[in-house]
């Protein structure tokens, strides 16, 4: 699940601006399509700019976003008529029709965010390595270790461990994990998550299985091990006096 920022002057909810968005599980925050609104804009993984009606204003807003120095992907929402005039120098990363279906929209969001992550990985060679406690997940080589021991994981077990380790302490419902790890178009039930968590715990071993914590009636989270309190050494002189 990604956090999306929708810049629009429309009074309708986001589902009216981009109907396909209502069928996806992303968190959407809406702000007015004005430059002043960007000053206190919350962090987001991707920005959607509504260009259905005021295309020239949307173009200027996309350019303004680039001048602010943000590297967040910008996707311009247009009508079919708008496709005839958009140009590469408008400052957006991609263009999407407001009538596009959820599958296309999800793909464009995923690819835009993925391209940004790939660019960051080039600048930071270790950016693809996730270290959480003793768990090390390498997204480039699809390997995971705990301590000095390599974990023999299936693809979905790896993806599940990676996603949980990326958000230590955060609780995810089974439905959220299904969407993020298996994809929103997966037709299996939430029992799939329980089965993979059980297998993952078994491969972590008895000493580390508690890293995948269960939150009753909610879901699962990655639990960072707490440091054991240091025990002060016994007073040897007192023992001697007894």
């Amino acid at each position: 699940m990604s956090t999306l920022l929708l810049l629009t002057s429309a009074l309708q909810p986001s589902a009216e601006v981009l109907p396909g968005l209502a069928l996806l599980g992303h968190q959407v925050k809406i702000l007015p399509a004005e430059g002043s609104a960007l000053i206190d804009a919350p962090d987001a993984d991707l920005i959607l700019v509504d260009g259905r009606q005021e295309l020239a204003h949307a173009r200027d807003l996309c350019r303004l976003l680039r001048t602010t120095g943000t590297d967040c992907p910008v996707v311009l929402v247009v009508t079919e008529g708008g496709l005839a005039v958009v140009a590469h120098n408008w400052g957006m990363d991609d263009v999407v029709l407001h009538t596009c279906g959820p599958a296309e929209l999800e793909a464009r969001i995923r690819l835009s965010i993925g391209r940004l992550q790939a660019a960051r990985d080039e600048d930071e060679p270790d950016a693809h390595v996730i270290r959480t406690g003793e768990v090390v997940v390498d997204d480039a080589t699809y390997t995971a270790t705990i301590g000095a021991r390599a974990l023999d994981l299936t693809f979905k077990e790896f993806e599940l461990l990676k996603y949980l380790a990326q958000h230590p302490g955060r609780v995810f419902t089974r439905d959220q994990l299904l969407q993020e790890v298996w994809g929103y178009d997966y037709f299996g039930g939430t029992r799939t998550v329980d089965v993979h968590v059980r297998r993952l715990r078994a491969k972590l071993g008895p000493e580390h299985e508690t890293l995948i914590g269960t939150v009753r009636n909610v879901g699962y989270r990655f639990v960072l091990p707490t440091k054991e309190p240091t025990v002060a050494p016994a007073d040897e002189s007192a023992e001697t006096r007894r």
Side-chain angles (χ1 to χ4, degrees), residues 98-160:
H98 73 290
T99 55
C100 75
E104 178 185 349
L105 181 58
E106 176 67 19
R108 290 182 181 274
I109 291 172
R110 184 176 65 252
L111 291 173
S112 294
I113 295 175
R115 283 192 292 267
L116 173 62
Q117 187 60 52
R120 288 174 175 172
D121 289 347
E122 289 183 2
D123 295 334
E124 302 177 30
D126 291 334
H128 58 274
V129 178
I130 303 164
R131 291 183 173 87
T132 308
E134 291 188 77
V135 174
V136 179
V137 179
D138 191 328
D139 197 22
T141 61
Y142 280 88
T143 57
T145 59
I146 184 161
R149 177 167 61 91
L151 297 174
D152 183 17
L153 305 178
T154 66
F155 177 73
K156 287 303 181 184
E157 290 167 355
F158 175 86
E159 289 292 314
L160 179 60

